[in-house]
């Protein structure tokens, strides 16, 4: 293209037009001569960096959420296992008491260990109900009556189960 230079006082002299960024009018605006390829590459890199940052933030929050869910599941399974073991041992001892009375409290060691574990991980309602079940198993070996016929153990066992179910349900919702 041919154009008339704007700084020339002679309109009759034509010269070849310069590139847009090379013109004096562009230099006064502070624009530099940057090839289109560099602008394209810079734009692509900027978009990639922004996409990477957004992806990192989204991925990080998802991983944190998944990690918390795994922790809750493991805690739930651990408590459930402890509660089941405790209840099974208490029930075994109460049934055993109907056959023979305990000569030594050493037979209560496993039940005592499980009760101690429940007091560490369980909430107050579960711990109190577990104490009642533990007491029933101990008293069953001391009394002369048939422990299997006692309705006291069954009501305490049911109270323990209700407390455990409520606690495990609240853990699942958290």
């Amino acid at each position: 293209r041919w154009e008339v230079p704007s700084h020339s006082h002679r309109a009759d002299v034509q010269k070849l037009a310069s590139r847009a960024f090379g013109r004096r009018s562009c230099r006064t605006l502070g624009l530099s001569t940057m090839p289109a390829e560099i602008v394209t590459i810079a734009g692509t890199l900027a978009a990639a960096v922004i996409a990477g940052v957004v992806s990192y933030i989204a991925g990080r929050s998802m991983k944190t959420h998944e990690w918390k869910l795994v922790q809750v599941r493991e805690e739930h399974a651990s408590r459930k296992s402890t509660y089941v073991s405790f209840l099974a041992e208490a029930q075994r001892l109460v049934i055993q008491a109907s056959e023979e009375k305990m000569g030594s409290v050493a037979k209560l060691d496993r039940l005592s260990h499980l009760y101690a574990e429940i007091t560490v991980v369980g909430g107050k309602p579960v711990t109190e109900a577990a104490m009642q079940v533990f007491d029933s198993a101990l008293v069953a070996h001391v009394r002369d009556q048939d422990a299997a016929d006692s309705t006291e153990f069954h009501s305490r066992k049911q109270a323990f189960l209700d407390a455990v179910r409520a606690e495990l349900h609240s853990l699942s919702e958290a």
Side-chain angles (χ1 to χ4, degrees):
R1 268 180 33 188
W2 293 91
E3 70 177 31
V4 176
S6 60
H7 61 279
S8 173
H9 64 282
R10 294 185 56 196
D12 61 339
V13 177
Q14 293 185 350
K15 67 178 196 176
L16 189 61
S18 60
R19 291 184 23 210
F21 288 114
R23 293 186 187 150
R24 187 170 52 177
S25 59
C26 290
R27 279 183 271 157
T28 57
L29 293 174
L31 300 176
S32 65
T33 59
M34 186 178 296
E37 295 84 20
I38 294 176
V39 172
T40 304
I41 292 171
T44 304
L45 287 176
V49 167
I50 290 171
V53 168
V54 169
S55 175
Y56 170 76
I57 291 170
R60 181 176 170 204
S61 65
M62 285 186 61
K63 289 292 183 187
T64 302
H65 181 69
E66 289 173 2
W67 177 71
K68 286 179 182 178
L69 286 176
V70 167
Q71 276 188 320
V72 167
R73 256 188 245 119
E74 287 176 358
E75 178 71 20
H76 189 275
S78 172
R79 286 184 185 203
K80 187 175 180 180
S81 173
T82 300
Y83 297 156
V84 167
S85 298
F86 172 78
L87 199 54
E89 184 66 13
Q91 195 157 349
R92 184 188 70 78
L93 288 173
V94 168
I95 291 171
Q96 181 186 14
S98 64
E99 294 176 5
E100 63 177 294
K101 296 300 175 192
M102 193 181 311
S104 166
V105 292
K107 291 183 179 180
L108 289 173
D109 281 350
R110 175 154 166 74
L111 187 65
S112 178
H113 172 78
L114 290 169
Y115 174 71
E117 192 173 337
I118 287 173
T119 59
V120 170
V121 298
K124 186 175 181 178
V126 172
T127 303
E128 289 175 353
M131 181 180 61
Q132 295 297 319
V133 171
F134 183 79
D135 183 57
S136 291
L138 181 62
V139 168
H141 281 278
V142 176
R143 288 191 190 154
D144 287 332
Q145 71 185 35
D146 191 11
D149 293 335
S150 174
T151 59
E152 183 180 298
F153 174 73
H154 297 292
S155 64
R156 290 180 175 187
K157 173 182 158 184
Q158 188 59 46
F160 176 73
L161 287 172
D162 292 341
V164 165
R165 287 180 183 132
E167 181 175 284
L168 292 178
H169 181 71
S170 69
L171 278 177
S172 296
E173 291 179 345

